[in-house]
Amino acid sequence: VLGVAGCSAASSPPPAAQVSSQPAAMAFGGTDRAWIEINIAMDEQLLPLLELSAGRASDPAVRDLTTQVKAFTDTELGTLRQLHTLAALPAENPHKGMPMPGMVTPEQVTAAGALTGGAFDKAVVQHVRGHLEQSQQLAVSEEKSGVEPQTRRLAAEVLRTRSETLAVLPKLS
């Protein structure tokens, strides 16, 4: 027990590291914190559909679309997870699995996986469009009401990628 207590005392630097992150956490407003959590949940739930599409899409344009969306989603998720840590958000995401517009559900992925050909492509494009439109709306809210500069910069990047990607979607439908 004393050895464990000694180890705990020796691990004083981790609590100090936590304290040093507190000022950063205080720079995050409620909109910033909610935006980070919602976008992590939405992006994580989109990935299985994008991965399914890589081997199943019959239209090369749909494969290209999902490859592009997966690339920027993976990049955004990395940044969102860093912001999550800086904002000292809880490990359990209250938005995970939340039914909301643009949230791709496991049931939708399963249903899409049962489709083939053009029906599969159409379902994927529909779900990707819903995700992109919702994340675009959320990014507008973050830009308008967020206070943390790094989070607002990511929201601006989200708006850019969504705008560019949504512009090509009608050609695929």
Side-chain angles (χ1 to χ4, degrees), residues 12 14 27 32 57 82 99 117 119 123 143-144 167 169:
S12 295
D32 301 315
Q82 290 172 353
E143 275 203 321
K144 182 177 176 182
L169 282 180

Side-chain angles (χ1 to χ4, degrees), residues 120-138:
F120 174 83
D121 293 347
K122 184 176 179 179
V124 167
V125 170
Q126 175 187 353
H127 292 310
V128 168
R129 176 182 282 119
H131 172 86
L132 296 175
E133 289 173 346
Q134 179 66 15
S135 62
Q136 187 176 44
Q137 289 176 358
L138 293 169

Side-chain angles (χ1 to χ4, degrees), residues 27-39 87 89 95 137-148 151-152 155:
F28 289 82
T31 299
D32 301 315
R33 297 165 68 85
W35 186 79
I36 291 165
E37 288 179 322
I38 289 170
N39 279 279
L89 291 165
H95 302 285
Q137 289 176 358
L138 293 169
V140 167
S141 295
E142 171 59 25
E143 275 203 321
K144 182 177 176 182
S145 301
V147 295
E148 204 291 315
T151 307
R152 294 187 69 211

Side-chain angles (χ1 to χ4, degrees), residues 10 14 65 92 102 112 127:
L65 167 72
E92 185 66 31
H127 292 310

